[in-house]
Amino acid sequence: MKNKIIYWIATAWLSLGMVSTGIVQLIQMKEEADMFVHLGYPAYLMIILGIWKLLGVIVVLVPKYPLVKEWAYAGFFFTMSGAVFSHFAAGDGAKEYFGPVLLLVLTVVSWYFRPADRKLQG
């Protein structure tokens, strides 16, 4: 029961974080667009990441499809670890790391504590 509670808390926060950042990227909010320029990425990458984040949240939340869930978690992990390293490479301060690190930790916790019916069997 404890693992299920940990899973749902981490997954709820992860989902909220991915949906909110995905929407911010899809609407190309000025602050986000400025950050992408600062990090050296093209603006169109925001649309790609925004769409995949929203799709990933849907996959993680719906029951079944464990293989697709693994891909969604991997995508979240690669995206957030890439964000951490991008901020590091750009020489950003600690406050720029908070969001990506938090979402990275939530991704790992949600993945690790997912119920057996949401895991690949085999």
Side-chain angles (χ1 to χ4, degrees), residues 1 13 18 34 38 40 44 46-47 52-54 63 67 70 80-81 86 88 98 105:
M1 184 62 160
W13 281 106
M18 290 298 179
D34 291 345
H38 167 71
Y44 68 81
M46 287 189 292
I47 301 297
W52 282 111
K53 283 180 180 181
L54 296 178
L67 179 61
E70 292 292 322
M80 292 302 105
S81 61
S86 294
F88 177 77
F98 179 75
V105 168

Side-chain angles (χ1 to χ4, degrees), residues 49-110:
L49 289 174
I51 290 169
W52 282 111
K53 283 180 180 181
L54 296 178
L55 291 173
V57 167
I58 292 168
V59 168
V60 166
L61 291 177
V62 299
K64 300 185 181 173
Y65 312 110
L67 179 61
V68 183
K69 285 184 195 318
E70 292 292 322
W71 281 92
Y73 279 119
F76 289 164
F77 185 87
F78 296 143
T79 300
M80 292 302 105
S81 61
V84 169
F85 286 110
S86 294
H87 286 293
F88 177 77
D92 290 338
K95 78 174 183 124
E96 301 301 334
Y97 290 89
F98 179 75
V101 168
L102 176 61
L103 288 173
L104 186 61
V105 168
L106 289 170
T107 296
V108 171
V109 171
S110 175

Side-chain angles (χ1 to χ4, degrees), residues 14-35:
L14 171 64
S15 298
L16 287 170
M18 290 298 179
V19 166
S20 63
T21 58
I23 290 171
V24 162
Q25 290 168 340
L26 280 175
I27 65 172
Q28 298 187 8
M29 200 167 112
K30 181 176 177 7
E31 292 85 359
E32 188 74 2
D34 291 345
M35 181 59 71

